[in-house]
Amino acid sequence: GTLAVFFVPTIPLVEQQATALRSRPNMPTVGEFHGDRAFPTRFDVLVTTPKAFETAQGRGVPSLAWNEFKVVVLDEVHHTLKDHPYRNLALRLKMSGHCPRVIGLTASLTYAVGAQKIKKSVDRLCKDLRIHRIEFAREDELLADGYLGAGRRDAEVRLSEQAMKPEIIPPEDRRSHLVHSTFFQRIDAGEATSFATELVSIIKLLEEDVKRFYENFVSPLGEPSLKFWGGYAKKNLVEHEDERFASLENWYEALRILVASWEEADDAAIAFLRMTQCDTSKSLNCWSSDAITAIELFFSKDRSSSVRFDNLSDALEEKVNNFEDFRGIVFVKQRVMTHILEHVLSEHPVLRTYIRIRCLYSAKTPATASLSITRGEGEDSLRAFHSGEANLLITTNIAEEGIDIPAANCVIYFDSIDHSVSFVQGKGRARQADSSFVVLSERSDRPAAFLAKQEAEQQALAASFTPCATEEITFADLNSQRQREENATRYLVVSPTDNNALANLNIFCARTKVVLTEKVDGGTTSCSTCHMTYQSVLRTIEVSGEGNGKKAARKAAATKMLRAIADSMASNP
């Protein structure tokens, strides 16, 4: 009669964890639920994604009230520390006043770096979820579960000459939300790399060609969203059926690869352009003679830009020869890089005979405007890797966490590793005996040895863990929340039409780490009322908004909430 809910961060993990639970002896009824699967009529244990649970709970499904559950399990619980649906779950559970037994599962406790920050982060995680004990899987338990691999060995660091050079833009100066402005400021100031400068100049030539035929065409490069560029060209291709836009889309995507890498992935940009045949006569013939001359000169230069690819190929050749049944995983940062590496390796004179490649990344977001995989293709890639039909999986961090790939005996990081979570989780994918964990690129401020030290510090902290003696709100809690709210005041803006109110409110809540609760009464077209509550350690604010339909009611409530928060902060900072 005791109900349990088992949260997993992604849809593929719902079936995987449900299947694993059902394999246990005397396991009660296990139900599965996510956005593409109907809510089960009966269950003792519900395996679900946080988003599906939150949506159904918001609709008032009685069996999903927090007080129905005696046990709450969060797989990959470290997500609770960042802007993730797990964070909302933890705060909503805390606000409910219900205290089930909470079990968090993870191979790495936190993204934090440095002993003090690690401790602060773990304390916060345990406080928010009321965790009182940290336990480890014993060696015999790992062995019994088939874990024999590289997770307990040092990383094999094999840096190319290119990877050992100082970063073009130091890691401490990189801000992801400023990547667009930083790049074009460097272009305008003449500080960008010669490759970046040449690539931009060619794109401007191509844009001028397009404007001769379509006077309303406007360059999309001023748009900070890098994915917009290729999408804009594809939209024009659909509208005008002109091959210039197909070619231009590929040049925009190549520039996107370069910008997103902080000007370092010139090899990937060139490989992408060759992969999409931008250097062939079919692509060139649609452009003016000036543009063709510039493009041909661009591709004729010997840039020695294949060093990283050669390093990967060398590592793969060695590992393929070392294992009788090679099964490798290559991790990359950008989705499009999965396709680029598949193209590069498939043309390798030796490796193409021995490796069978599949790509894997989230089906929710395409790699480029014209490159994507479906969920079915992603599932087929995992199936093929499990069966041995494919022996090399090129993937993003979607495969770092949770996805069970027991056959893997070699893990390679093509791009640098940003934090200890990726370091630990990725290393743990190599489960077979004598497995290899290879690092081909490092951040200057976070080399593999440093990340290994962070892992050791987390383990030491966990081994000596003592729960917080009190859950009382401290001065530090108040001060931190006050600072977050003050930093987010620019989002407390109400437009005359209310069109931006809901978006601004959501951003404000994300920046202040507050879960906004809302309940809407009424139909989608009839008069509706939306009740909203904003609750932080500093203030609790409740408002209601009415409108002709749920959407209008939510906008009205959001407008009132923004004003109420602004008033509250003015009167009670």
Side-chain angles (χ1 to χ4, degrees), residues 203-221 232 236 240 242 244-245 248 252 286-288:
I203 290 175
K204 288 182 177 179
L205 270 177
L206 303 185
E207 289 178 334
E208 288 302 318
D209 272 12
V210 169
K211 288 176 185 177
R212 293 191 187 101
F213 296 90
Y214 304 96
E215 60 182 19
N216 292 329
F217 176 84
V218 178
S219 172
L221 297 183
Y232 178 74
N236 276 277
H240 301 295
D242 188 327
R244 292 180 185 86
F245 291 111
L248 187 57
Y252 282 149
C286 64
W287 299 114
S288 67

Side-chain angles (χ1 to χ4, degrees), residues 225-273:
S225 173
L226 308 188
K227 67 181 180 180
F228 176 82
W229 305 345
Y232 178 74
K234 186 174 183 179
K235 179 181 177 182
N236 276 277
L237 173 63
V238 172
E239 181 179 348
H240 301 295
E241 298 183 351
D242 188 327
E243 285 302 310
R244 292 180 185 86
F245 291 111
S247 178
L248 187 57
E249 175 192 330
N250 293 327
W251 285 93
Y252 282 149
E253 296 292 1
L255 181 61
R256 172 186 175 186
I257 292 166
L258 187 69
V259 175
S261 70
W262 302 92
E263 299 180 52
E264 292 184 351
D266 52 350
D267 52 358
I270 291 176
F272 177 81
L273 289 169

